[in-house]
Amino acid sequence: MTPRPAQGVWVAPGRVNIIGEHTDYNDGYALPIALPQVVTCTATVTTDAVVQVSSKQHPGQPTRVPLRELADSPISGWARYPLGVVHEFLRRGHALPGVRLEIDGEVPVGAGLSSSAALECAVALAVRDLFELEVSTRELIDIGRAAENSYVGAATGTLDQSAALLGTAGHALFLDFATGEHEPVPFDLAAAGLQLLVADTNTPHRLTDGGYGQRRRECEDAARELGVHSLRAVTEPDELRRLPDPILRRRAHHVVTENARVLTVVDLLRDGSDPRTIGPLLVGSHTSLRDDFEVSTPQLDAAVQAAIDAGAHGARMTGGGFGGSIIALVDTDRVDAVAAEIRERLHARGFASPRLFVAVPAAGARRTA
């Protein structure tokens, strides 16, 4: 019998969401891509009943917590994400003798590109494989979500973990959160003479600060008043007239129309349409997130408008909002001009200089050594 390896290396990617924002916890649809930028976890079996966590990005903050004390650990900050994942394995009845987790990350933190889910998924995959646990990919997604919801305190859905674990190179990932079904959708922009430009506005968002959780509660309240299990059950915006509260009506309107936009984008890409045709839907998504869901910022709005003014076929904020990044669908020969306009527009408004790069669909989480 081959002995179980005592160490290994796993990676999980960040993600860009093409469209489908704040739909995951409403049982809706989304269309993310996994990014080439990854979080790396080197995991080693130990026998001291302790979880040890260290990070190259935080060299002065190594953490050691006895497994029996994980449930009540007061540790905060970045280390709470991997600790939460280990705690979730233990809570679900998986016995671990101890583990050392060494983290290295290249996904920008706070940029709305899901560095947290990349960290959770790299650790979750490492723990499962290292200890040969009978845990499905679907349960790994839920372990990451549970760690972020219950241990970290961010009321997110499963979009980010799904993208990190299920993404495939050259494809976007169509997610149906009501059924758990997923489908790769061709997303070869280069063949169409296009690129997906990402502009991180350098305004870090923090999903634990309350705004995200408030939006989730508002969506739940709207569904309850409409007498449905989730807003996924509502397909016609006219049905929302039954909501007397204008705030709940706007929140629900975003979710209902965003689900429709995702389905339209997926149909266009499946049919081999020119990807430029999805541009107006990206703009519509941003407008809805700005006006109905109220999760955009002046920096995100300025970057989106700059991209459109410079010739982008479409642009929108991506991620949970309250800061972070935008995406812009741009002809390859216009990328530099659009990037320059975004930089100049943000500088003119006195905002921080953005970080810009081109995103391509990459592979999901995997073992590399």
Side-chain angles (χ1 to χ4, degrees):
M1 182 177 178
T2 303
R4 184 170 65 195
Q7 187 182 75
V9 181
W10 290 262
V11 299
R15 66 96 189 93
V16 157
N17 197 22
I18 305 305
I19 196 163
E21 225 65 78
H22 289 274
T23 51
D24 54 351
Y25 55 79
N26 288 294
D27 290 342
Y29 308 100
L31 189 72
I33 62 171
L35 292 172
Q37 293 89 339
V38 298
V39 169
T40 301
C41 175
T42 302
T44 306
V45 175
T46 64
T47 57
D48 54 4
V50 168
V51 55
Q52 307 171 51
V53 183
S54 62
S55 168
K56 287 188 177 179
Q57 283 66 51
H58 304 275
Q61 302 176 30
T63 299
R64 289 174 52 91
V65 181
L67 295 176
R68 66 179 182 278
E69 297 176 10
L70 266 180
D72 301 314
S73 173
I75 296 294
S76 61
W78 71 271
R80 196 152 185 88
Y81 291 91
L83 293 178
V85 170
V86 175
H87 171 258
E88 193 60 27
F89 274 103
L90 296 174
R91 195 188 67 80
R92 296 177 186 223
H94 300 288
L96 305 177
V99 64
R100 182 168 67 248
L101 305 169
E102 299 168 86
I103 307 300
D104 190 9
E106 57 189 22
V107 183
V109 175
L113 304 178
S114 197
S115 59
S116 58
L119 173 54
E120 293 155 7
C121 292
V123 171
L125 192 62
V127 170
R128 184 192 72 176
D129 292 355
L130 192 63
F131 295 101
E132 298 179 345
L133 304 178
E134 293 294 326
V135 175
S136 67
T137 300
R138 189 164 183 172
E139 188 176 358
L140 283 181
I141 291 169
D142 193 60
I143 285 171
R145 177 209 56 80
E148 190 149 351
N149 289 181
S150 302
Y151 205 77
V152 177
T156 59
T158 58
L159 186 157
D160 299 342
Q161 294 84 3
S162 298
L165 286 162
L166 300 171
T168 55
H171 294 77
L173 179 69
F174 176 44
L175 296 166
D176 182 335
F177 296 102
T179 65
E181 294 177 358
H182 55 90
E183 172 195 348
V185 177
F187 198 64
D188 185 0
L189 296 183
L194 292 165
Q195 292 190 0
L196 190 69
L197 180 66
V198 179
D200 170 10
T201 62
N202 263 316
T203 49
H205 70 165
R206 294 175 177 82
L207 298 185
T208 57
D209 283 353
Y212 192 104
Q214 180 183 346
R215 296 303 184 278
R216 183 167 185 162
R217 290 189 296 273
E218 289 165 345
C219 290
E220 292 168 351
D221 291 345
R224 190 179 306 110
E225 291 195 24
L226 291 167
V228 295
H229 178 263
S230 70
L231 291 176
R232 159 69 171 270
V234 182
T235 57
E236 295 296 332
D238 285 349
E239 297 179 50
L240 304 177
R241 293 176 181 172
R242 294 190 284 125
L243 290 169
D245 186 324
I247 293 177
L248 296 189
R249 194 161 57 244
R250 290 201 305 272
R251 303 298 188 253
H253 187 266
H254 164 71
V255 175
V256 172
T257 58
E258 186 80 344
N259 279 331
R261 283 185 287 269
V262 175
L263 294 177
T264 301
V265 168
V266 170
D267 284 343
L268 289 168
L269 294 176
R270 275 195 194 124
D271 293 344
S273 299
D274 186 334
R276 291 168 180 82
T277 59
I278 76 172
L281 293 154
L282 302 185
V283 176
S285 174
H286 183 78
T287 300
S288 181
L289 287 159
R290 182 192 67 204
D291 298 343
D292 281 342
F293 225 65
E294 298 181 280
V295 294
S296 190
T297 65
Q299 292 90 336
L300 294 170
D301 294 341
V304 164
Q305 192 59 54
I308 294 169
D309 291 347
H313 296 284
R316 69 189 270 305
M317 57 156 279
T318 187
F322 309 103
S325 299
I326 73 148
I327 57 172
L329 187 64
V330 183
D331 289 323
T332 299
D333 61 4
R334 291 290 301 166
V335 168
D336 290 344
V338 172
E341 182 62 27
I342 292 172
R343 287 193 191 94
E344 291 172 10
R345 191 76 58 92
L346 294 182
H347 177 74
R349 294 280 302 274
F351 298 142
S353 297
R355 292 178 288 187
L356 296 113
F357 65 93
V358 170
V360 295
R366 58 206 180 271
R367 185 171 188 164
T368 60

